[in-house]
Amino acid sequence: MYELNDTYKAHLDAIADAIQESPTLAQYLEEEEDEYYEALKAEFEPQIEAAHEQINHYSPFEIESFERYLLDDRFEGLFLPRVLGYSVLRPQINEHYHYTRQNDHFGEVLTYIAGNMNFDQLRSRIGQAVQVGFALSSDIYVTGLVDGIPTKRVRQFLLQQKSDDARTAAGRKQIYDRYKRQFMSRNYQYAPFPLEAAELISHTDHMVDFLLYRVSNAELNNDALPAPLYQFATNSDFAGRKELIEPIIIYGAFLTPEGETRDDIVAVLNRERKENPERVEAQVMSFLLRLKNDPKVTFGPDQELALGQIVDRSIEDDLTAYFNLTDRLHNEGFTEPDVQEAIQAEVLKHEGLSDFNENVRKSVLVYFDRLAASLGTDDYNEWFSVTGKQFPVYMKIFANEQFNQELRRLAIRYTKRLIKVHTNKRGKDYRDIKKTTVSTWTDYNFMTDKQLKEFFKTPRKRKKTES
């Protein structure tokens, strides 16, 4: 999205100069032995990789410009096999395991590698990346790309990377997943932001996935995200488009706009809420559920409170009602009777299985989840005290079987931790745990008497058979 800044250009130029002045390169050029190229790779690729990691950490929108800067003969093809791998994995793919848009960055990098004087040294490291890139691209694109390579033996090598497995979606998925696993610990993700209205449909989903990856990774610096997000949200050409809403939610929840910036974002959301009230409300509630249900996304009370800061409460709609309610829940506490009364009053206004009510249930459930995770195995009295009062209250308020099953899951998980530690069946701890659990779980319909008996039954150890 952005051109490479001068600081990184200067840094890469310094690496390029060092490569060209290296005695190892001189030996390689003179003797043309692979061992000298391997030595060159060992010396300089870590430096390029460190710079690549740094720019993707702090300035992800410059990453493709950085990679294009490496398409220079001064770098002797170093690090380009890794760049090629990143280029095939970044773009969005559809359910058929094809790129949703033509992957020109992959084509540009591969074309340069194909014409590089060190191709014979690079070819052993690019085969799988080429196979994936070809599998996910259209046949027309692959044919045009290969036909554009002037050297016959290079074209033959590339054509050999086309896999018969790529003929089916299942085969393409297998090829893609197998290759992607190699990069699980790498930060290479990037997605371009829509700059024109025509790009909203093709770019927004990919942008949303990229933003969620960034904001959910606590180790990454996201100072570069607000500026392009602000430009996106306030682009007058995008007014009234449904693609605006999800990025704005991410902006408000995770990046916390302030001052005049926040006022502008509030104004944009107000405009959308007034012009398309039903659609915007439905979009917000649906996307909130996605965030809460995705284990890879960090979305909890803090993010919900932050998001509420860009929701103007002077507009009387479900969004105002929802964030007024969750503000009270998160600020006053889920055990407060007044909060519980407010929740009950609000959920009765909506269909039981509505996204509105499901979001409220998820927002409450997180507190039970945190309680179970925070307590040690000696703190079971606190668990019984809190859940003994609050489980029945919320089970009555929501009257929702799925919510009850989530409480059951938490209770089973915590109780299993208890009985793994408190194993003495004659001891007070075990007897108290069992007595309270049997009594309450029966009342909650978590388990039948038979299931409870089986739950507390000690598995018999198999006797060793004599040989």
Side-chain angles (χ1 to χ4, degrees):
M1 187 174 184
Y2 297 147
E3 288 303 312
L4 186 63
N5 68 71
D6 290 341
T7 301
Y8 278 101
K9 286 181 180 179
H11 182 55
L12 288 178
D13 286 340
I15 295 175
D17 291 342
I19 293 171
Q20 291 303 309
E21 295 168 6
S22 169
T24 307
L25 177 61
Q27 283 183 296
Y28 168 64
L29 293 177
E30 182 178 346
E31 303 188 27
E32 297 183 353
E33 294 291 338
D34 290 351
E35 62 181 288
Y36 296 117
Y37 190 83
E38 289 299 313
L40 199 68
K41 183 176 73 175
E43 182 177 359
F44 290 104
E45 281 202 351
Q47 298 178 41
I48 301 173
E49 182 173 22
H52 188 275
E53 290 178 352
Q54 186 177 35
I55 198 168
N56 218 12
H57 182 88
Y58 292 103
S59 304
F61 298 108
E62 297 177 38
I63 192 61
E64 289 193 352
S65 296
F66 178 101
E67 292 171 354
R68 284 195 297 272
Y69 204 77
L70 297 177
L71 306 183
D72 185 314
D73 291 347
R74 295 177 301 158
F75 294 99
E76 301 293 338
L78 297 175
F79 198 64
L80 289 186
R82 180 66 61 80
V83 169
L84 187 69
Y86 293 154
S87 74
V88 303
L89 293 175
R90 275 198 199 106
Q92 185 181 24
I93 56 176
N94 60 27
E95 67 275 14
H96 303 297
Y97 280 79
H98 280 134
Y99 291 128
T100 58
R101 299 185 304 277
Q102 184 169 291
N103 189 353
D104 290 327
H105 189 54
F106 161 66
E108 184 179 9
V109 176
L110 181 58
T111 299
Y112 178 82
I113 291 175
N116 190 271
M117 62 179 295
N118 299 308
F119 177 77
D120 288 338
Q121 284 68 39
L122 299 172
R123 62 183 291 170
S124 63
R125 301 168 58 199
I126 66 171
Q128 198 172 2
V130 174
Q131 182 188 72
V132 177
F134 283 0
L136 302 179
S137 299
S138 69
D139 289 340
I140 294 175
Y141 179 74
V142 172
T143 299
L145 183 60
V146 174
D147 286 348
I149 305 298
T151 308
K152 182 178 180 180
R153 66 181 181 85
V154 177
R155 290 200 303 271
Q156 290 175 337
F157 168 79
L158 295 178
L159 289 173
Q160 289 170 0
Q161 310 314 310
K162 295 183 71 173
S163 172
D164 289 339
D165 292 338
R167 296 178 183 275
T168 66
R172 292 190 292 274
K173 180 181 186 303
Q174 186 179 44
I175 292 170
Y176 175 79
D177 289 345
R178 183 171 59 239
Y179 189 61
K180 188 176 182 180
R181 281 195 291 270
Q182 300 177 29
F183 296 85
M184 291 294 288
S185 62
R186 303 285 181 177
N187 173 29
Y188 58 85
Q189 281 85 350
Y190 160 74
F193 280 28
L195 299 178
E196 301 174 355
E199 296 176 333
L200 284 172
I201 294 176
S202 60
H203 286 54
T204 304
D205 287 348
H206 192 203
M207 176 183 69
V208 167
D209 290 342
F210 167 68
L211 289 171
L212 290 178
Y213 165 78
R214 294 289 305 199
V215 299
S216 297
N217 192 328
E219 297 178 356
L220 295 178
N221 181 301
N222 288 320
D223 291 347
L225 298 184
L229 255 179
Y230 176 82
Q231 294 170 4
F232 169 84
T234 56
N235 188 329
S236 60
D237 292 339
F238 298 167
R241 294 295 297 265
K242 65 183 181 65
E243 292 84 4
L244 264 180
I245 303 304
E246 292 181 2
I248 287 177
I249 293 173
I250 295 172
Y251 194 2
F254 295 97
L255 300 171
T256 320
E258 298 178 347
E260 293 182 2
T261 298
R262 187 186 74 86
D263 293 342
D264 290 343
I265 298 301
V266 170
V268 170
L269 188 56
N270 281 356
R271 180 195 69 210
E272 299 299 311
R273 290 167 70 188
K274 291 175 181 177
E275 293 182 3
N276 302 281
E278 291 185 6
R279 191 254 292 162
V280 172
E281 289 171 14
Q283 272 191 276
V284 172
M285 288 299 152
S286 176
F287 192 60
L288 284 181
L289 278 182
R290 173 184 167 182
L291 298 180
K292 294 175 183 180
N293 288 327
D294 190 339
K296 294 178 292 187
V297 175
T298 304
F299 187 91
D302 291 343
Q303 288 73 32
E304 195 154 64
L305 283 168
L307 179 58
Q309 296 302 304
I310 65 167
V311 177
D312 186 346
R313 312 303 168 86
S314 67
I315 300 175
E316 295 186 7
D317 61 6
D318 278 352
L319 295 187
T320 289
Y322 179 80
F323 285 100
N324 282 343
L325 183 63
T326 53
D327 279 356
R328 293 193 62 185
L329 171 66
H330 300 318
N331 288 320
E332 299 175 35
F334 78 113
T335 62
E336 287 296 311
D338 288 347
V339 171
Q340 293 167 350
E341 289 180 10
I343 291 173
Q344 183 171 36
E346 198 60 52
V347 299
L348 287 174
K349 298 176 184 177
H350 300 83
E351 294 290 334
L353 297 179
S354 66
D355 285 352
F356 184 103
N357 283 354
E358 180 63 9
N359 268 295
V360 176
R361 290 192 287 268
K362 292 289 184 182
S363 292
V364 169
L365 189 64
V366 71
Y367 288 103
F368 289 114
D369 203 344
R370 288 184 174 184
L371 177 67
S374 67
L375 295 179
T377 53
D378 291 331
D379 303 320
Y380 59 83
N381 283 323
E382 182 178 351
W383 170 259
F384 290 139
S385 175
V386 175
T387 61
K389 295 176 183 177
Q390 305 306 327
F391 272 14
V393 169
Y394 281 105
M395 291 170 75
K396 181 178 180 181
I397 288 174
F398 294 132
N400 179 267
E401 184 58 30
Q402 183 60 43
F403 178 80
N404 295 350
Q405 288 301 313
E406 290 295 326
L407 296 183
R408 179 181 184 273
R409 178 184 60 82
L410 291 175
I412 289 175
R413 187 176 68 190
Y414 181 66
T415 308
K416 281 184 175 180
R417 286 173 55 202
L418 296 180
I419 60 178
K420 281 184 179 179
V421 174
H422 303 290
T423 57
N424 182 4
K425 293 193 173 185
R426 297 180 182 273
K428 182 178 183 302
D429 289 324
Y430 183 90
R431 287 187 284 110
D432 287 349
I433 292 166
K434 182 176 181 180
K435 179 181 178 181
T436 306
T437 299
V438 169
S439 173
T440 55
W441 286 13
T442 302
D443 291 342
Y444 304 153
N445 290 321
F446 284 178
M447 285 189 181
T448 64
D449 290 340
K450 182 178 180 180
Q451 289 171 326
L452 281 162
K453 184 177 180 180
E454 190 67 25
F455 182 81
F456 283 100
K457 184 178 180 181
T458 303
R460 291 185 179 181
K461 294 183 179 179
R462 291 185 178 181
K463 294 181 180 181
K464 294 183 179 180
T465 57
E466 295 182 3
S467 56

